[in-house]
Amino acid sequence: MGSTLAKIVETEAEMTQTQKNKATAHHLGLLKARLAKLRRELITPKGAGGGGPGEGFDPGRSRLH
C-alpha cells in the first residue's frame, strides 16, 4: 500500500509543477486519470472483486421451462 501512496504523492507533485495552458491540458488530464485510478486502488485493492464461488447467473438453466 505504501507504493500506491508514493505514486499518488508523485503524481500530485507533478500536477502542481505543470503549467496550466492549452499545450499541457492533455498531460494534466492523463495525470488526473492516473490519480483517480490510484485513489480507487487504495479504496478497493486489486485482490478484491467478484468472480468467486457462489450463486451466479446461468442463462442455460431457467425455471420457466
Side-chain angles (χ1 to χ4, degrees), residues 9-10 16 20 23 30 36 39 41-43 46 49-50 52 60 64:
V9 170
E10 289 174 11
T16 58
K20 292 177 177 71
L30 292 176
R39 287 180 175 159
E41 284 181 11
L42 275 182
I43 296 170
K46 287 184 180 180
L64 296 176

Side-chain angles (χ1 to χ4, degrees), residues 5-62:
L5 286 174
K7 289 178 186 177
I8 288 175
V9 170
E10 289 174 11
T11 304
E12 287 177 341
E14 186 175 349
M15 285 180 69
T16 58
Q17 293 173 355
T18 303
Q19 290 183 354
K20 292 177 177 71
N21 58 44
K22 287 197 311 190
T24 61
H26 181 71
H27 179 66
L28 285 170
L30 292 176
L31 289 175
K32 285 181 182 181
R34 182 186 311 160
L35 196 57
K37 178 183 174 192
L38 290 170
R39 287 180 175 159
R40 209 175 312 120
E41 284 181 11
L42 275 182
I43 296 170
T44 56
K46 287 184 180 180
E55 288 189 36
F57 177 72
D58 185 4
R61 304 183 81 193
S62 93

